[in-house]
Amino acid sequence: MISRLLVANRGEIARRVFRTCRALGIETVAVFADPDADAPHVAEADLAVRLPGDRPAGTYLDAGRVVAACRASGADAVHPGYGFLSENAEFARAVLAAGLVWVGPPPEAIAAMGSKIEAKRLMAAAGVPVLPSLDLAAPDEFPLLVKASAGGGGRGMRIVRGPEELAREVDSARREAEAAFGDPAVFAEPLWERARHVEVQVLADAYGTVWTLGERECSVQRRHQKVVEECPSPGIAAEVRERLCEAARRAAAAIGYVGAGTVEFLVRGDRVAFLEMNTRLQVEHPVTELVHGVDLVRLQLEVAEGGALPVEPPRPYGHAVEVRLYAEDEHYLPQSGVLRHFEVRGDVRVDSGVESGSVVSPYYDAMLAKVIAHGASRAEAVRKLVTALRRARLHGLTTNRDLLLRILTHPDFAAGDTHTGFLDPDGPLATSPPEPTAPPEPTAPPEPTAPPEPTAPPEPTGPGELAGLAAALALAADNRRRAPVLGGLPSGWRNVRSQPRRTAFTTGDGGTIDVVYDPLPAGVTAVSAAPDRVVLERDGVRHAFAVARYEPGGPVYVDHAGGHAELTPLPRLPEPVEHVVPGSLLAPMPGSVLRVEVAPGDRVVKGQAVLVLEAMKMEHRITAPADGVVSGLHVEQGRQVEAGAVLAIIHEGDL
């Protein structure tokens, strides 16, 4: 029996495993790199051990230090989570050699699937349909997909549409694969565009019983990383489902699998092709748990302790949908900083690695949480999820919440018509390309001018339009609360009023709104107005707004039943701003300069890569915003840069 379990991971998955351990009475041990010293998973564990090292992400990849942490803490078992060392056969062997219980498949099974190149050969021999491998030196067809042989999660994957891109994309995939998994090996397959990405959950014990717990649809992806997952798939026929489950059973049996794992496939029409087998728990495992009524972590622990599975798995019920909530902007660029407030309410499950006040660092994946809903039908599950996301309070960092809502409410998604190109620039959502140009150049704020002539305020048409009014009233109430003298007077009181009271805000999308809040718009009554809560009534209907601001002059966050707004007050007398040279390329995030691809004086064209930043274990190309000449280069390879730093200057036209 396991008495004390160390989770060789961090964040959301560590907390997820700890939750089951608490229910089973198993003591827990966390490991942490220095940036995670105050992380929630460290605080929740019974014991915690620091992993020393100057590369935060790399410390979790040091098998020797993790095993030493087991000895220091008295742990008698290890759960690897996912990512990091979870699919490292040598780590599994080291754990077993130390006399510890390994909560995972046999090292031989991990090794068999650890190289996707070898895995394809084994699967083909077992009768599992596979895609052909292409010669990286001289492929005979395009487009193709370059993939890391080790690991997963979209890292080390590149689409190549022509021979002119091949060498560059292969080199980039190799670098990213080595940074994420410690193995630069890559291979290539034909690219099935607009196919479905479908996977089967398997669970096996040491006595020959193999469960297949249905399939999960994981087609909605950005940068080859999953964004929305659901169980069951809305677009798989019964005959295809049977073939998928049979192929997954064959895959597990072929390598003597024990424990929880996932077999991934591409499906196009009635064609099925093996992608890979993940010899670990998957990020999206909660949708299977909710539909089948199981705790996969508990089953992992029971199998590791020598327990036997029942002959038949539990029958499924209903539908579950999961979304991955990321700290990232509309171009999928990761964000870092303080998450001021994190609150997701509703009939949903939330598996998170953060809480209010958490620091999101640039060293790891940008996922904040998974939000999962279950219902008797797909429509019910989606509705619960949409409601929870709309009512969530997420302050301090830009997130992909709005993108998730656009996906979940899109007619094609409602119809179950999803595929791996759903978020492509020419896909149903017509999203912005994931390779953005540099941020727009800062401009000096306008010179202060005399107040405009009073005009009738525009009449709000819904709770969203009332958010600016709620923000203005909350700020006015806060000003009165802070007033050092005459605090009892109404805000903005004058003997003779000459003009309405108004506040201007910039919005989260870069726009500007001007809000007149005294007098109130026609038909609107302020029922109450406090610094943190405003209730407005319009046409007999009351709307409540939660308002928060964390620093003077900072953004005002307004949350209400219909959505959310982030509004930053514009100062009446703005301070001078630092001038930025036109054409400056600014760092969109903190990171390390991985490669500089131009030199001063080089001519570039719009969209051409100028340099590559590495942040959160991903490569991000910084491209030229227009045709021109490189008139300045302010960084070199290996340099760390902060967000907003000037990287290079592109002079449009000729110098």
Side-chain angles (χ1 to χ4, degrees):
M1 296 289 288
I2 296 170
S3 60
R4 182 176 293 174
L5 178 80
L6 181 145
V7 177
N9 219 292
R10 62 177 299 279
E12 167 263 327
I13 183 55
R15 299 180 81 188
R16 162 70 189 93
V17 175
F18 292 163
R19 185 168 68 242
T20 292
C21 287
R22 285 194 295 271
L24 296 176
I26 297 174
E27 294 180 347
T28 56
V29 182
V31 290
F32 64 93
D34 288 341
D36 287 331
D38 298 319
H41 80 275
V42 177
E44 288 181 9
D46 295 310
L47 300 169
V49 180
R50 174 179 175 266
L51 298 178
D54 56 2
R55 291 183 63 247
T59 61
Y60 292 97
L61 290 168
D62 191 322
R65 286 176 176 170
V66 174
V67 172
C70 292
R71 296 193 187 98
S73 62
D76 57 3
V78 174
H79 191 297
Y82 39 69
F84 293 129
L85 293 168
S86 62
E87 294 179 281
N88 186 306
E90 291 307 311
F91 176 56
R93 292 188 178 104
V95 169
L96 293 169
L100 306 171
V101 176
W102 168 247
V103 185
E108 295 74 20
I110 298 175
M113 294 291 104
S115 165
K116 293 184 176 63
I117 299 170
E118 179 64 15
K120 288 180 63 175
R121 187 189 65 78
L122 287 173
M123 293 301 98
V128 177
V130 300
L131 288 171
S133 293
L134 302 176
D135 182 356
L136 271 176
D140 54 10
E141 65 176 283
F142 291 93
L144 58 81
L145 186 63
V146 178
K147 302 172 67 174
S149 182
R155 293 180 177 84
M157 294 180 69
R158 297 290 186 275
I159 293 175
V160 182
R161 299 197 176 277
E164 70 282 356
E165 303 175 4
L166 185 63
R168 182 189 70 197
E169 297 299 350
V170 168
D171 287 347
S172 179
R174 282 175 173 154
R175 285 192 303 271
E176 197 166 89
E178 184 164 27
F181 315 119
D183 184 350
V186 298
F187 66 103
E189 295 176 332
L191 177 64
W192 277 13
E193 298 191 277
R194 304 293 172 109
R196 290 183 183 272
H197 186 150
V198 181
E199 61 191 28
V200 177
Q201 176 71 57
V202 297
L203 188 71
D205 63 21
Y207 310 102
T209 300
V210 179
W211 285 1
T212 58
L213 294 170
E215 85 286 351
R216 297 188 287 252
E217 170 88 32
C218 308
S219 297
V220 181
Q221 305 174 4
R222 92 284 186 270
R223 298 190 69 161
H224 312 297
Q225 291 184 311
K226 301 162 188 172
V227 179
V228 180
E229 299 105 345
E230 54 185 310
C231 178
S233 167
I236 296 296
E239 184 270 335
V240 174
R241 177 175 291 113
E242 290 176 7
R243 287 168 55 202
L244 288 169
C245 289
E246 177 58 28
R249 287 190 193 95
R250 289 190 179 193
I255 59 173
Y257 201 78
V258 176
T262 304
V263 188
E264 304 201 358
F265 301 89
L266 279 182
V267 178
R268 187 163 63 179
D270 61 355
R271 298 178 65 191
V272 171
F274 170 83
L275 280 177
E276 62 187 19
M277 183 174 184
N278 291 295
T279 53
R280 54 174 169 81
L281 203 62
Q282 288 279 88
V283 176
E284 56 272 20
H285 74 273
V287 293
T288 296
E289 291 186 320
L290 292 176
V291 167
H292 289 267
V294 297
D295 181 337
L296 287 173
V297 173
R298 178 174 186 148
L299 291 169
Q300 281 186 297
L301 295 170
E302 291 175 352
V303 167
E305 290 177 328
L309 295 172
V311 175
E312 295 294 331
R315 296 181 63 83
Y317 168 74
H319 200 100
V321 184
E322 169 183 295
V323 294
R324 301 190 190 191
L325 187 65
Y326 285 96
E328 65 183 23
D329 67 11
E330 70 275 16
H331 296 293
Y332 313 144
L333 290 175
Q335 308 292 294
S336 59
V338 179
L339 185 62
R340 298 288 193 174
H341 192 82
F342 178 80
E343 179 183 359
V344 182
R345 297 173 293 174
D347 186 15
V348 293
R349 168 176 163 178
V350 181
D351 287 9
S352 72
V354 297
E355 56 192 17
S356 297
S358 290
V359 176
V360 178
S361 80
Y363 303 113
Y364 313 109
D365 184 87
M367 190 175 76
L368 301 175
K370 304 175 308 194
V371 185
I372 315 101
H374 179 257
S377 66
R378 183 173 186 263
E380 179 184 326
V382 171
R383 182 175 61 195
K384 289 180 180 180
L385 198 50
V386 167
T387 299
L389 288 172
R390 282 179 175 159
R391 295 182 177 180
R393 302 190 69 191
L394 308 170
H395 303 165
L397 292 176
T398 300
T399 73
N400 68 332
R401 169 176 42 187
D402 289 343
L403 172 64
L404 297 175
L405 287 169
R406 288 178 60 208
I407 294 168
L408 295 173
T409 57
H410 193 278
D412 285 6
F413 183 86
D417 186 13
T418 56
H419 50 75
T420 54
F422 198 83
L423 294 182
D424 286 355
D426 59 349
L429 264 68
T431 56
S432 300
E435 297 293 350
T437 57
E441 299 171 14
T443 57
E447 293 294 328
T449 59
E453 291 296 321
T455 58
E459 184 175 342
T461 57
E465 287 72 16
L466 289 172
L469 183 58
L473 290 170
L475 289 180
D478 189 50
N479 288 338
R480 295 316 306 155
R481 184 184 65 177
R482 297 171 183 272
V485 295
L486 301 178
L489 288 179
S491 178
W493 183 84
R494 299 288 188 276
N495 281 327
V496 178
R497 174 173 293 171
S498 61
Q499 56 188 293
R501 298 175 60 217
R502 61 202 321 140
T503 299
F505 297 96
T506 57
T507 59
D509 59 5
T512 303
I513 60 172
D514 186 55
V515 178
V516 175
Y517 62 94
D518 186 11
L520 291 170
V524 177
T525 303
V527 178
S528 62
D532 58 354
R533 179 177 169 83
V534 174
V535 179
L536 301 174
E537 182 175 301
R538 192 193 57 189
D539 299 332
V541 179
R542 290 190 176 185
H543 304 273
F545 301 84
V547 185
R549 185 169 63 159
Y550 301 94
E551 55 188 1
V556 179
Y557 300 92
V558 184
D559 298 290
H560 54 94
H564 54 277
E566 179 183 336
L567 304 170
T568 302
L570 283 172
R572 294 180 180 176
L573 298 174
E575 295 290 334
V577 298
E578 183 179 350
H579 177 68
V580 176
V581 175
S584 295
L585 299 185
L586 308 182
M589 73 203 81
S592 174
V593 178
L594 188 64
R595 190 169 66 258
V596 178
E597 300 196 345
V598 297
D602 284 357
R603 178 165 291 280
V604 294
V605 297
K606 182 178 180 180
Q608 179 180 337
V610 175
L611 52 86
V612 178
L613 283 181
E614 183 181 43
M616 295 187 176
K617 299 190 288 183
M618 299 287 284
E619 291 189 8
H620 307 276
R621 289 192 179 117
I622 306 301
T623 60
D627 296 354
V629 177
V630 180
S631 62
L633 194 59
H634 296 270
V635 293
E636 63 279 338
Q637 183 174 326
R639 177 177 168 184
Q640 289 291 133
V641 296
E642 297 297 324
V646 177
L647 306 172
I649 300 172
I650 307 298
H651 178 82
E652 291 191 38
D654 296 321
L655 287 175

